[in-house]
Amino acid sequence: MTQQIKSVGVIGLGTMGAGIVEVFVKAGIPVVAVDGTKELAQRGKGFLTGSLDRQIKRGKLDEAGRDEIVSRATFSDRLSDLADVDLVIEAVPERLEIKTSIFTELDGIVRPDAVLATNTSSLSITQIAAATEHPERVIGMHFFNPAPVLALVEVITTILVDQKLVEAVRDLAVTLGKKPVVVGDRAGFVANALLITYLARAIRTYETGHVRREDLDDAARIGIGFPMGPLTLSDLIGLDVVKEVCDVLYDATKEPSAAPPALLQQMVAAGRLGRKTGHGFYQYEKAGSGAVVDAPEPVSAPKGASQVAVIGEGAVADELVRVLDEGGVQALAYGSSSDELPESVDLAFLVGSGLTDCACGPEGLCRRGVRVARGRRGLVRGSRRGTVGGHRGRRARRGRRVPRGREHRAGRAPGRRPTARSHQGRSGRRDRAVG
């Protein structure tokens, strides 16, 4: 079995296959790149040169460097041109019958010590290996799209593979600048078993019509911290690929969460596959482009509140005033009454249990227009409504504004700490939510 891999063949020159070619030729390893027709092979070459041209525009590469990188790849429409390579990586569509047919044909073409790898994202490596004469040399080498950018490579083992080969492929991934993880053969392996069910759930959420696509993506990107939202990521991966992996996961597990959502199936049937076709959940400038052309007009950020009233007593109210002051917001502290709110107040916070029967209108809007935010034990946040007014609770002590910084609250002597009774409502709990 080949221990040192000095030449590589790649079968299938779509977005993923061309990306794998780029990874190897940029690492200085010559590649024989093969697709079913001369036209498809030249299209794959176009994907490679297009990617390198974008790097030139960003100043990461010059034209001489591009030409040298491209010269390391030979493009062909014949599998027989792979006869002398050390490693073959298959990157054709996720159809088991297509992959097994290719691997069976390779048995009669490549050297006996050549390594056969599949880039499948979810299919059984064991089934593919079992279709060959030498299953011990078949392994999974799963790159992630876009292959030149993403560092993770899953090295997938089977019960048939030579363990020395596993180490050789892992070392190769490290040489390429990737971060390999070695995993066993199961549906979806590791990354896709986690990722695809998340994408499917996000698509189901979107198809209910309860959230805009941009808001859904922002929730994942900003709220969870992912680099991109699930709909954007699905378009990048390819909706056909997402559906195919959903099918494999569902067939293997029968878990409803893994089944392809109805909207995903309809989009694939309609040929809207994401960036590769120029239209998916978003519409793009052209096929293969990442420039969205149907994005909504940007909305300017609303002006933040400059003066805030904190209505209530206790440690939470005091802490909220302190945090607002430190954040550059003028905070006015009140006891249990807000009858004397000045016209400049943008937002009122209700904290504590002294206003259990407050007279708020819908969505926390008081009768006279001030936007109200309520809290329990932690700090609370609200948004500016743009109008001003006042707020009153039935049990509030009226007419007693208590400015921040004075030593006493309504009905309390200077220097005394508030008692439990001053914070308790009818339930006997402190700092209970109000309204």
Side-chain angles (χ1 to χ4, degrees):
M1 194 70 62
T2 299
Q3 295 301 312
Q4 278 197 329
I5 295 172
K6 298 180 180 179
S7 61
V8 173
V10 175
I11 304 173
L13 302 178
T15 303
M16 175 58 78
I20 295 173
V21 172
E22 181 177 340
V23 170
F24 280 97
V25 292
K26 288 173 81 173
I29 300 175
V31 175
V32 177
V34 178
D35 213 326
T37 66
K38 291 181 179 179
E39 291 75 19
L40 290 175
Q42 288 304 306
R43 187 190 69 162
K45 184 176 182 180
F47 287 152
L48 172 61
T49 56
S51 174
L52 297 175
D53 286 343
R54 288 191 292 272
Q55 294 172 46
I56 292 175
K57 291 180 180 179
R58 293 195 294 266
K60 297 183 177 180
L61 188 67
D62 57 26
E63 292 185 2
R66 177 199 59 193
D67 294 342
E68 181 181 356
I69 290 172
V70 173
S71 69
R72 298 182 188 131
T74 302
F75 294 85
S76 171
D77 61 342
R78 299 187 303 270
L79 288 178
S80 58
D81 289 339
L82 302 172
D84 294 325
V85 300
D86 299 323
L87 165 68
V88 177
I89 301 176
E90 163 274 311
V92 302
E94 290 287 276
R95 296 285 191 275
L96 184 62
E97 64 275 13
I98 297 176
K99 294 178 184 289
T100 54
S101 174
I102 289 174
F103 275 73
T104 300
E105 188 172 353
L106 287 173
D107 271 336
I109 295 174
V110 300
R111 301 194 316 263
D113 63 341
V115 178
L116 302 183
T118 173
N119 184 60
T120 179
S121 57
S122 58
L123 296 176
S124 170
I125 312 294
T126 304
Q127 285 184 273
I128 296 172
T132 70
E133 294 180 1
H134 302 284
E136 71 280 357
R137 68 176 178 177
V138 177
I139 194 168
M141 192 174 187
H142 179 213
F143 292 81
F144 288 78
N145 192 31
V149 176
L150 296 186
L152 181 64
V153 172
E154 288 178 321
V155 178
I156 304 104
T157 67
T158 72
I159 59 175
L160 303 171
V161 72
D162 184 339
Q163 290 303 311
K164 292 182 179 179
L165 175 60
V166 176
E167 291 303 315
V169 172
R170 184 186 180 281
D171 291 344
L172 173 64
V174 173
T175 301
L176 297 173
K178 301 299 185 181
K179 302 287 186 181
V181 294
V182 179
V183 301
D185 185 18
R186 54 156 291 170
F189 314 130
V190 172
N192 277 340
L194 299 173
L195 173 64
I196 298 300
T197 50
Y198 153 71
L199 296 180
R201 184 178 295 274
I203 294 169
R204 288 191 187 91
T205 302
Y206 176 61
E207 71 183 357
T208 64
H210 292 161
V211 62
R212 298 188 317 144
R213 61 183 185 180
E214 291 84 5
D215 290 339
L216 177 60
D217 277 350
D218 283 348
R221 187 174 55 83
I222 301 171
I224 305 176
F226 291 165
M228 65 178 66
L231 302 184
T232 301
L233 179 57
S234 295
D235 275 358
L236 176 62
I237 293 172
L239 301 188
D240 54 336
V241 176
V242 175
K243 179 187 175 299
E244 288 163 357
V245 180
C246 280
D247 288 333
V248 171
L249 290 175
Y250 182 70
D251 288 343
T253 66
K254 303 304 179 187
E255 294 180 1
S257 60
L263 177 60
L264 177 64
Q265 297 182 58
Q266 294 165 11
M267 295 179 73
V268 171
R272 295 185 174 183
L273 308 182
R275 290 191 186 185
K276 66 175 73 176
T277 61
H279 203 162
F281 289 107
Y282 295 86
Q283 187 171 349
Y284 300 91
E285 189 174 49
K286 60 181 180 179
S289 170
V292 176
V293 297
D294 63 343
E297 292 294 325
V299 178
S300 58
K303 182 181 178 182
S306 59
Q307 193 174 77
V308 174
V310 178
I311 306 167
E313 299 179 351
V316 173
D318 293 341
E319 178 67 8
L320 179 54
V321 170
R322 183 189 67 78
V323 171
L324 289 169
D325 277 348
E326 289 182 355
V329 178
Q330 183 181 1
L332 302 177
Y334 291 78
S336 303
S337 173
S338 59
D339 285 349
E340 302 176 11
L341 287 180
E343 290 297 310
S344 58
V345 166
D346 303 308
L347 177 68
F349 283 85
L350 304 185
V351 183
S353 59
L355 298 169
T356 54
D357 298 315
C358 66
C360 289
E363 300 183 358
L365 182 64
C366 292
R367 290 177 177 174
R368 285 173 24 198
V370 169
R371 192 69 173 172
V372 175
R374 303 180 181 87
R376 185 168 182 171
R377 295 187 180 276
L379 301 184
V380 292
R381 294 184 294 175
S383 60
R384 182 177 180 176
R385 180 72 175 190
T387 55
V388 296
H391 187 280
R392 178 172 69 226
R394 186 189 305 169
R395 299 176 60 199
R397 295 175 61 92
R398 301 181 182 178
R400 296 290 303 276
R401 175 188 175 192
V402 186
R404 181 182 180 276
R406 294 177 59 177
E407 281 292 321
H408 62 276
R409 300 286 181 184
R412 192 166 82 224
R416 291 184 58 187
R417 299 294 295 172
T419 64
R421 179 173 298 178
S422 68
H423 294 281
Q424 289 177 343
R426 294 175 182 175
S427 68
R429 296 183 63 178
R430 302 181 64 181
D431 291 328
R432 190 165 61 88
V434 298

